[in-house]
């Protein structure tokens, strides 16, 4: 077994440096350093929760859809990041005030989720559930998982 201590950072390829920084700053991430975005090196941003983003770029493809989430064919790869939040209702008010569109919702057992897209259509999931782990992670053979198919 590999002894993993934590997630160190999340790397996201972006097209427009300023637009991406502005978006993630709205979510509470602070710009730490730009190590050379134009050369393909990361812009490092950090949230007070400890989550670190590396915004990589510049992307060379036009943004029209997210190949991992928006097309019928299912390619392998990372599809989204998910953050646990204290309150989805508080988050929804924040998103409305900041003109950030909710792109999907999902509910299963004790977990409520909503989804947004960043300017490059990368999917960000926000989850609200009691305790440290949602009951949805503790599925058993008798559970009705028919509603799980509604996951965006």
């Amino acid at each position: 077994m590999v002894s993993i201590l934590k997630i160190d950072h999340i790397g996201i390829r972006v097209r427009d440096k300023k637009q991406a920084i502005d978006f993630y700053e709205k979510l509470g991430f602070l710009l730490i350093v730009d190590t050379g975005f134009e050369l393909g090196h990361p812009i490092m941003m950090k949230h007070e929760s400890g989550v670190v983003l590396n915004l990589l770029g510049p992307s060379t493809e036009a943004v029209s859809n997210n190949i991992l989430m928006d097309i019928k064919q299912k390619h392998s790869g990372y599809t989204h990041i998910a953050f646990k939040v204290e309150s989805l209702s508080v988050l929804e008010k924040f998103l409305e005030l900041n003109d950030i569109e909710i792109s999907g919702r999902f509910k299963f057992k004790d977990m409520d989720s909503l989804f947004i897209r960043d300017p490059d259509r990368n999917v960000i999931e926000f989850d609200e559930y009691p305790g440290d782990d949602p009951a949805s992670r503790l599925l058993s053979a008798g559970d009705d998982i028919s509603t799980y198919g509604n996951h965006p």
Side-chain angles (χ1 to χ4, degrees), residues 90-151:
V90 170
L91 173 66
E92 287 182 73
K93 290 174 187 164
F94 169 84
L95 296 174
E96 184 177 333
L97 286 172
N98 287 279
D99 295 319
I100 299 172
E101 181 182 342
I102 296 171
S103 61
R105 294 180 182 275
F106 174 73
K107 180 173 177 57
F108 187 74
K109 289 190 150 193
D110 67 342
M111 184 173 74
D112 287 313
S113 304
L114 66 80
F115 299 81
I116 64 171
R117 300 291 183 107
D118 77 1
D120 291 288
R121 301 208 32 86
N122 295 301
V123 177
I124 303 168
E125 176 181 342
F126 295 95
D127 300 326
E128 177 186 343
Y129 52 85
D132 292 330
D133 290 303
S136 61
R137 288 201 184 132
L138 307 174
L139 290 175
S140 60
D143 286 338
D144 176 14
I145 60 169
S146 62
T147 60
Y148 203 80
N150 296 328
H151 192 281

Side-chain angles (χ1 to χ4, degrees), residues 15-65:
R15 182 177 42 90
D16 184 294
K17 175 178 164 176
K18 181 177 177 355
Q19 189 178 39
I21 290 171
D22 290 349
F23 177 83
Y24 285 102
E25 282 182 338
K26 282 182 186 176
L27 297 183
F29 287 87
L30 300 175
L31 176 63
I32 304 301
V33 65
D34 179 348
T35 65
F37 179 83
E38 288 76 11
L39 299 173
H41 304 299
I43 295 168
M44 296 178 183
M45 301 186 78
K46 186 174 183 179
H47 191 271
E48 68 178 25
S49 65
V51 175
V52 175
L53 297 180
N54 283 359
L55 302 180
L56 301 161
S59 170
T60 59
E61 301 300 317
V63 177
S64 60
N65 61 27

